[in-house]
Amino acid sequence: MKNAVGRDIPEEVLQACGKRPYAGAYARDGEAYKKAAPVVRGYVNPKRSKLVSSIREALEKCGIRDGMVLSFHHHFRDGDYVVNMVLEEAAAMGVKDITICASSLGAAHDPVADLIEQGIVTGIQSSGVRGRIGEAISHGKLKTPAIIRSHGGRVRAIEEGDVHIDIAFIGAPTSDEYGNARGVGGKSDCGVLSYSMVDAKYADHVVVITDCLVPAPNFPPSISMVDVDYVCVVDEIGNPARIVSNVVRMTKDVRELMMADYCTRIIAGSPYFKDGFSFQTGAGGASLAVNSMLRPIMEEKQIHMGFAIGGITKPICDLLEAGLVRNIVDAQDFDLGAIESIKRNPNHYEISTSEYADPMNKGAFVNQLDFVILGALEVDVDFNVNVVTGSDGIVRGAPGGHPDTSAGSNCSIIVAPLVRGRIPTICDRVVTVVTPGETVDVIVTDYGIAINPRRQDLIDAYKDSGLPLKTIEELRDIAYSIVGRPEQIQFDDQVVGIIESRDGTILDVVRKIRPYSFEE
Amino acid sequence: MKNAVGRDIPEEVLQACGKRPYAGAYARDGEAYKKAAPVVRGYVNPKRSKLVSSIREALEKCGIRDGMVLSFHHHFRDGDYVVNMVLEEAAAMGVKDITICASSLGAAHDPVADLIEQGIVTGIQSSGVRGRIGEAISHGKLKTPAIIRSHGGRVRAIEEGDVHIDIAFIGAPTSDEYGNARGVGGKSDCGVLSYSMVDAKYADHVVVITDCLVPAPNFPPSISMVDVDYVCVVDEIGNPARIVSNVVRMTKDVRELMMADYCTRIIAGSPYFKDGFSFQTGAGGASLAVNSMLRPIMEEKQIHMGFAIGGITKPICDLLEAGLVRNIVDAQDFDLGAIESIKRNPNHYEISTSEYADPMNKGAFVNQLDFVILGALEVDVDFNVNVVTGSDGIVRGAPGGHPDTSAGSNCSIIVAPLVRGRIPTICDRVVTVVTPGETVDVIVTDYGIAINPRRQDLIDAYKDSGLPLKTIEELRDIAYSIVGRPEQIQFDDQVVGIIESRDGTILDVVRKIRPYSFEE
């Protein structure tokens, strides 16, 4: 069945996962649903301790068994030890058929690929997949298709009961013996624990894993003791050097600076650029440069940002310190500067990922966004964006908050070089639709800017701006003229991944990769 | 059927409410249950506004209809306007058969008694009932028995689905247009919104009512926008002068000071009085005096309080300022001093009532309590405490956190004068069991102190203390020798109130009052 972005979703996939095809970015607005709920056990007896001496004891006390869903967060990013630590122990106990429900999985989790080969891990649900896990998925090694969700979509899936977490493991820089856990204060600070908040509320069992036990109450807590069954103290929950980067890379690349300049002019020239505007940018070179480029314009026009949101980096914290940003609402920290800021600046707030981006709660921050700057692996002439599958068709990316912010914001800006090596970024048809074109407003490339025809208001706003406006087809043609029209990637029929829209409908599927063969 | 405190709970009551009889304070420890969940509607469309122009519009948009359960908090105490405002409008719309699920009801809500007479309000579930509502209950005016729960028990009942809230009305001193609501910052500050947090999470519809709309984001929020459907701005949500008292009454009553001295010596002489101890006291004269009496002992022995909890008053905030208390965890503010403190002192934290006292979550703060000082209307020789029915048998009190703190703490101390007028406080059998004797440790009166025989460790600890220790029977005998053995209050058979144990079992029932008649 063809969905609203023209993708053919096989009936058997829809039936197997009990999902509807994507019907438009806002199709489920106002739809009623009953929230999911965990099975929990009360601590009525005030004398019981939550402390366990090992991951194994935690797994035993939570009643680990074959087929369970275990959840994890990715605030420790490439420095995470928790996923491997828990899965190794589960494997050693002979547990099989585990589904991982993670907020993201990355290079730190390459060993999981071996557990997939062994049938110990048979399901993956994540907002990002990279490295060997992505290869294992694309080669059809999982028993069930991987489910890829946006950050907001993951919260929604848990809250709507699409996935039920049996045991949530929450690596925490600090915790007290009752399980009040925080993202700061230990030797492995990650700033916030936003991704885990929904896990703590909806998992049947919740285990806090920390390498820094602190006196109670560890307040204000990111994760409250009222949701925590067990607290396990280990030597190290992560490698601090890889949890955050010490310095943010400020680009000197001329092409990136040019695109940053275009983005800045798009923002400054829009009707949304006024006092109190809101903004999200990522950690890419061009995105980061926009922060510093906006500054003099904000100063000159006496325009303050109401709030900045998203993955937070030092450049935006600098604007907070300078008084140009009134509030930062923070669901993830990308560098040490951001972590220092949330420790110290009272206007820098931790939020839950539900507050950040869940489309089916009663209004997330992304709904209040004026501008977001996002990246892309591919953009097609319908403005659909792919940020998950690489040019070889293999899963190696993350929707993250991309579809959420794009759907919520007044002006979503995708910034990407027109070509990368031999690969055109703008193309006829993206391999995988991750963010539907309906929600994408402006494409900024080093060869020009395309505005979505759905946004005639924006096209009008920039008509005398001097910006190099082009149609998306013109950008595609330039790209093809440089690198040629790419050959289609060859896939088998087997569906190995499901790209879930943030609202839980099916946006696209990823098929098993086929070794390249020349056409006859 | 007789329950574990020897009260006969009629079978038909157990059947009608689907409850078990009370089986002991910790009988449900570790019992698994599935949490309840609301039916909600997602705000996918970022352009929709939550602002409504009137209470009526809010009621209409929430689909108000006969038989619904409406919830309210009592942070505005005697100054609350919200309950009456909403019920008047519902009555004007012709709605009938409303059940009020409130964290407490007091003198401000006397007009509700008229709505009970008219069949507009037919059910009351509350942690406290005073004034004309109590009289209406005791005279059998409700269609169904009132359900009286402790603060922790109310959260449990909502989380376990014993009561399902259709619409929660949350009066908030400040809110932004998205529903991020706080207990501070407006013209009717109440400090915290702890009681409402569970309502916001479990009600199908959530309406924030404020008299001070502030710029977004109103952070950090007590109630998050992700749970709020509508925001209604009204002229006044309460009478600030009655929300909190300006000055706390410091007692000069010699009898109260003597009892405070006893309490202080009980605390200071106990094995729990050491650095990091935790403490809750109420706002009564003797209780408050303990704060100042403890201070020199803490200073001399260099003992700091780890946390103070509960209904917060200025005297404990003064100890925080003085560095003698490390943290205050706050679920209710009783005076302006407490509100000023939570605005200003970074170690003064708002908590949810779930974190405060829910027995069936994974561990509330009451479980960590060393000492609590509580009041009593009556205490019987089994140490059962009544804080709900008056000497005339009429409902006019509040369990509040009484049963919760008593069950959770290492040492629960009940302080009360031995007699009040012609009424003995210590008696053979309390009219109504609200806090089971199993959880009560020490009774302090102006005629001596009784320690529960279950606590031989405490009896041993004070045997050489010089404190006037007596048995509970001795205290009763003294009381009876002063005022005589009271005549039994006369009740009809009709059950008009159910005293629910904090764990949801039935502790006792309240029967319809019968006009006094002389025995033949």
Side-chain angles (χ1 to χ4, degrees), chain B residues 116 124 129 132-142 145-146 148 395 494 496-497 510-513:
Chain B
I116 292 174
I124 298 272
V129 174
R132 286 183 57 211
I133 298 178
E135 285 165 22
I137 292 170
S138 281
H139 287 95
K141 305 281 188 181
L142 286 172
I148 311 292
V395 175
Q494 185 189 341
V496 297
V510 180
R511 291 173 194 274
K512 185 177 174 184
I513 205 77

Side-chain angles (χ1 to χ4, degrees), chain A residues 47 50 224 229 362 410, chain B residues 47 50 229 355 362 410:
Chain A
K47 311 295 183 197
K50 295 183 177 182
S224 170
D229 295 274
K362 295 173 183 174
N410 282 321
Chain B
K47 311 293 183 200
K50 295 183 179 183
D229 295 275
E355 289 173 317
K362 295 175 183 173
N410 282 321

Side-chain angles (χ1 to χ4, degrees), chain B residues 87-127:
Chain B
L87 291 176
E88 270 166 30
E89 196 60 49
M93 292 169 77
V95 180
K96 299 182 301 292
D97 202 13
I98 292 169
T99 291
I100 298 176
C101 175
S103 56
S104 203
L105 294 166
H109 309 119
D110 273 352
V112 172
D114 298 327
L115 301 178
I116 292 174
E117 293 277 356
Q118 296 161 38
I120 292 167
V121 171
T122 53
I124 298 272
Q125 307 195 7
S126 180
S127 303

Side-chain angles (χ1 to χ4, degrees), chain B residues 381-501:
Chain B
V381 290
D382 294 322
F383 288 79
N384 296 313
V385 179
N386 172 21
V387 285
V388 164
T389 44
S391 59
D392 52 2
I394 288 181
V395 175
R396 57 161 52 94
H402 201 293
D404 301 308
T405 51
S406 204
S409 60
N410 282 321
C411 182
S412 72
I413 302 167
I414 310 289
V415 56
L418 191 69
V419 299
R420 289 188 178 93
R422 298 294 307 160
I423 312 295
T425 303
I426 314 294
C427 61
D428 282 323
R429 183 183 156 91
V430 290
V431 173
T432 309
V433 180
V434 178
T435 296
E438 175 188 358
T439 67
V440 172
D441 299 316
V442 181
I443 312 292
V444 170
T445 75
D446 43 348
Y447 284 79
I449 298 164
I451 298 176
N452 194 325
R454 288 181 189 84
R455 295 301 304 270
Q456 189 59 46
D457 59 326
L458 290 180
I459 294 174
D460 294 343
Y462 300 110
K463 68 176 187 297
D464 302 321
S465 65
L467 285 165
L469 299 186
K470 297 197 160 48
T471 66
I472 191 82
E473 290 81 5
E474 286 170 336
L475 288 180
R476 172 205 55 195
D477 292 343
I478 300 169
Y480 285 1
S481 74
I482 300 169
V483 295
R485 181 180 294 263
E487 274 194 67
Q488 292 242 316
I489 306 167
Q490 298 186 11
F491 293 103
D492 279 346
D493 279 346
Q494 185 189 341
V495 171
V496 297
I498 292 171
I499 308 294
E500 213 180 77
S501 164

